[in-house]
Amino acid sequence: MTALVTEPPTRAGRGGRPRDPSRDDVIRAAILQLLGEVGYGALTMDAVAAEAGVGKATIYRRWRTKQDLVVDTVSDLNRAWTVDVDTGSLEGDLRSLVHRMVEMMASPVGAATRSLLAAMQHEPALIEAFREGPLAVWRRAYDELWARAQARGEVGPGLPQSIPAEATTALLVQRWMVTREPVDAAYADAVLETVVLPLVRRAG
């Protein structure tokens, strides 16, 4: 999940009527519960409706497919972790955002996100949906972070697509997805201090 904070406007579920906010929380909770229990492959829209205690029509009016249902919901949940916080400095902004990413990874939202990443190996149609959904949420947050740093004169142009920017999250994601070693705030701080900030300062 490489380095994204303008929040996109609230949208209707793909292909359906606008969402009833009173139903969102129970549907989200049901999706997180089922993803944790059975994973993406075995999850069904009917099962989500049953777990949430809503009619199947409530689900199908909002999302045409399981992919739309899960990606839309996981994207919305990830968006809650990227609420803009302007600390006044690049270092402060980076630390705040990577700490929130670490917290997300340890949460049920992180487990749901990771289940989508794992499912992409067997569900090629998920790849683009994931890029436009959860991944895009974080990219927008990091893009805004780098834009503020450039406006303050802390960095030059082109940082969002640079190796230092990619390094901001690459080591965290490697532990989270590949080695499954602990990812905590102390590790995130160490990555910032020993890898990211020195690279950024060198890049100017």
Side-chain angles (χ1 to χ4, degrees), residues 5-198:
V5 186
T6 302
E7 181 171 332
T10 301
R11 64 192 184 288
R14 299 183 187 185
R17 70 161 68 167
R19 294 177 181 171
D20 176 355
S22 68
R23 306 287 180 89
D24 280 358
D25 287 346
V26 292
I27 293 172
R28 287 170 176 164
I31 291 170
L32 292 182
Q33 178 73 21
L34 289 170
L35 283 173
E37 290 178 355
V38 303
Y40 178 83
L43 182 145
T44 67
M45 295 177 77
D46 286 5
V48 171
E51 181 72 25
V54 300
K56 289 189 288 186
T58 299
I59 302 294
Y60 283 99
R61 278 198 300 261
R62 289 158 174 76
W63 299 278
R64 290 195 183 107
T65 67
K66 177 178 77 170
Q67 175 182 301
D68 291 341
L69 165 70
V70 174
V71 171
D72 256 10
T73 301
V74 172
S75 298
D76 285 344
L77 292 167
N78 270 272
R79 192 171 294 113
W81 292 92
T82 62
V83 176
D84 185 23
V85 176
D86 184 353
T87 67
S89 73
L90 173 60
E91 181 174 348
D93 287 357
L94 279 172
R95 200 174 303 278
S96 174
L97 196 51
V98 298
H99 282 185
R100 275 178 279 159
M101 178 172 279
V102 167
E103 291 170 3
M104 181 278 294
M105 289 174 171
S107 75
V109 176
T113 304
R114 186 159 60 186
S115 76
L116 286 184
L117 285 165
M120 287 193 302
Q121 301 175 55
H122 311 289
E123 302 269 354
L126 271 178
I127 296 174
E128 190 61 28
F130 188 86
R131 287 174 179 163
E132 294 178 359
L135 182 57
V137 168
W138 287 94
R139 280 178 173 162
R140 279 190 292 271
Y142 277 100
D143 283 349
E144 183 65 19
L145 178 153
W146 295 116
R148 286 198 302 269
Q150 185 178 340
R152 289 191 295 256
E154 294 177 280
V155 300
L159 256 296
Q161 292 77 40
S162 69
I163 290 175
E166 186 173 350
T168 305
T169 56
L171 292 176
L172 304 182
V173 173
Q174 176 178 290
R175 280 199 170 203
W176 185 49
M177 282 297 300
V178 180
T179 69
R180 301 298 179 96
E181 296 177 76
V183 182
D184 55 20
Y187 178 73
D189 286 341
V191 170
L192 286 180
E193 295 294 341
T194 63
V195 179
V196 178
L197 291 174

